[in-house]
Amino acid sequence: MILTDIIWRICPALKHITEVLDTLILGNCLNSVQKTVFEEDWQSIFSRDHLTLGNMKALILVGGYGTRLRPLTLSRPKPLVEFANKPIVLHQIEALVQAGVTQVVLAVSYHAEQMEQELAQEAQKLGIQITFSLEEEPLGTAGPIKLAQSILASNDEPFFVLNSDVICDFPFTQMVKFHRQHGREGTIMCRPMSIEKEVFPYMASDGQLYAQELQGFWMDIGQPKDFLTGMCLYLNSCKTSNTAKLYKGPGVVGNVLVDPSAQIGKNCRIGPNVTIGPDVVIEDGACIKRCTILRGATIKSHTWLENCIIGWKCIVGQWVRMENVSVLGEDVIVKDELYINGGMVLPHKSIATSVLEPKIIM
């Protein structure tokens, strides 16, 4: 098993592909690679004379069911779960637009209508087109490329392909420049431990695949503990990149991101590494460290939270202590003076007794 980390691939249009790699990378591991079959050889398929690297497209793989990020994904599809007060997929889309992408294809298998409704306004703001490619059945990693072929191959420009549950600095602009410089067919962005020749062996054997080493942070945020780690890395990067304005106010320690509509009471300790979403209410004397608090949640007075994700519209009572990657789904009520240790609470539940050991509460 070979660890690989990012499938950002810029590659010319796949007009002549009859079969693409069936088993590539899902999550972070590659178990097998099947041979790529083309009707013609690489040189005859891909002409670099007309490679302009403008008006590009991107395919984002969002077809998974988000089971690792439950209970949050029981209410919203994973790409729409807010990471640092912004849907996960929107971090990627905005970075792609900055690199010159004008059309984004989302390869989806469920909740397509919900994503289309919520992302339509963002597409208008960004001045781009967002198209949905619906999988009737799971197609693996490369199947969605074939399914979206008519869109991706509508011109001779290269395109990006990436997974939806990775957060990093998204150096797409630098990647385009690197691709322009070497002028070959493909570029893959990888962490130093990745072995690109075993990921795309046939392109590599023909000398047509180049790798660019990723600088800065990277995190797969597909499960709660990694979501929180990614949040810490992202907030740290905000100090230098200014991708989000860090909050400076009474009782704040370290890197904290707070939506302007949130309310924070007196004598609170917020941080380090906290994101507080829209319409959140933090009452007096609360202590919150290494947590994400999603839209509309209320944290009552003198409650202590560390390593937690508090879902939308939750109410956490007074003098509650929660820790050890506890996650509340949407609209959960935690009664006063309870201790929650690693509890995963499904949506719309009311918790009236302490949870002393990590478990799922259904």
Side-chain angles (χ1 to χ4, degrees):
M1 184 170 69
I2 303 160
L3 287 180
T4 55
D5 307 297
I6 302 177
I7 323 171
W8 301 340
R9 181 181 170 198
I10 305 180
C11 181
L14 300 177
K15 292 181 179 178
H16 299 275
I17 291 182
T18 58
E19 182 180 346
V20 294
L21 287 173
D22 236 18
T23 310
L24 269 175
I25 305 164
L26 286 175
N28 291 336
C29 49
L30 176 68
N31 292 320
S32 62
V33 179
Q34 297 182 2
K35 187 175 181 180
T36 307
V37 180
F38 299 98
E39 292 178 351
E40 304 175 46
D41 61 43
W42 285 99
Q43 296 299 330
S44 62
I45 293 175
F46 299 118
S47 169
R48 292 187 296 274
D49 295 336
H50 49 270
L51 191 62
T52 61
L53 294 173
N55 193 29
M56 292 181 293
K57 299 179 177 66
L59 175 67
I60 304 179
L61 307 175
V62 295
Y65 291 98
T67 54
R68 295 184 302 153
L69 200 54
R70 288 178 179 171
L72 299 177
T73 50
L74 294 174
S75 298
R76 293 172 67 79
K78 182 171 62 176
L80 297 182
V81 172
E82 294 93 334
F83 176 87
N85 292 346
K86 186 186 300 181
I88 293 172
V89 72
L90 191 55
H91 287 272
Q92 300 172 328
I93 291 173
E94 289 180 348
L96 288 165
V97 170
Q98 291 178 0
V101 169
T102 58
Q103 183 173 4
V104 175
V105 181
L106 299 182
V108 300
S109 59
Y110 81 123
H111 286 318
E113 291 184 2
Q114 182 179 357
M115 283 193 275
E116 188 171 4
Q117 291 173 359
E118 297 204 23
L119 292 174
Q121 186 175 1
E122 299 298 337
Q124 187 175 10
K125 289 180 184 177
L126 294 170
I128 63 169
Q129 183 178 357
I130 297 180
T131 306
F132 291 82
S133 178
L134 183 62
E135 301 176 20
E136 299 296 338
E137 59 184 24
L139 297 176
T141 300
I145 301 176
K146 182 66 176 177
L147 187 63
Q149 178 178 337
S150 61
I151 299 173
L152 299 174
S154 62
N155 60 26
D156 292 323
E157 300 293 343
F159 59 87
F160 289 94
V161 179
L162 57 151
N163 278 322
S164 65
D165 51 3
V166 167
I167 192 73
C168 66
D169 283 327
F170 296 124
F172 294 131
T173 300
Q174 297 93 315
M175 193 177 182
V176 170
K177 292 178 181 178
F178 178 74
H179 188 78
R180 186 199 301 271
Q181 290 170 355
H182 69 67
R184 299 301 178 97
E185 293 158 356
T187 300
I188 182 170
M189 180 72 76
C190 56
R191 291 202 291 169
M193 67 180 69
S194 298
I195 306 174
E196 64 280 358
K197 287 190 177 182
E198 293 186 55
V199 178
F200 294 110
Y202 302 101
M203 291 178 69
S205 64
D206 287 341
Q208 299 299 332
L209 180 66
Y210 273 65
Q212 183 180 13
E213 184 176 307
L214 174 66
Q215 304 297 319
F217 79 98
W218 174 96
M219 198 69 208
D220 178 340
I221 56 174
Q223 54 187 333
K225 66 181 181 64
D226 296 332
F227 186 98
L228 291 171
T229 299
M231 176 198 67
C232 297
L233 295 171
Y234 175 83
L235 291 176
N236 186 62
S237 76
C238 290
K239 291 192 300 186
T240 55
S241 64
N242 295 317
T243 53
K245 187 176 181 181
L246 296 177
Y247 180 76
K248 304 295 183 184
V252 169
V253 179
N255 301 325
V256 174
L257 187 63
V258 178
D259 187 88
S261 64
Q263 302 176 42
I264 300 177
K266 299 177 181 178
N267 302 316
C268 292
R269 184 188 189 276
I270 310 296
N273 298 312
V274 171
T275 63
I276 297 175
D279 304 319
V280 168
V281 175
I282 311 294
E283 294 187 356
D284 296 349
C287 178
I288 304 175
K289 298 184 277 186
R290 206 175 188 269
C291 291
T292 287
I293 316 295
L294 295 175
R295 178 189 295 270
T298 297
I299 311 300
K300 293 196 172 181
S301 59
H302 307 292
T303 279
W304 191 93
L305 305 177
E306 184 171 8
N307 283 313
C308 298
I309 302 175
I310 307 300
W312 308 273
K313 298 180 287 185
C314 288
I315 299 175
V316 181
Q318 300 179 32
W319 296 100
V320 169
R321 183 183 180 100
M322 294 180 58
E323 60 185 347
N324 193 21
V325 194
S326 291
V327 183
L328 304 184
E330 181 182 16
D331 186 34
V332 169
I333 298 173
V334 179
K335 297 299 180 75
D336 296 346
E337 301 179 11
L338 297 183
Y339 173 57
I340 309 295
N341 175 26
M344 298 285 177
V345 185
L346 272 61
H348 314 297
K349 301 295 179 183
S350 180
I351 308 301
T353 59
S354 292
V355 178
L356 303 181
E357 299 292 339
K359 67 177 181 178
I360 297 173
I361 301 172
M362 303 178 67

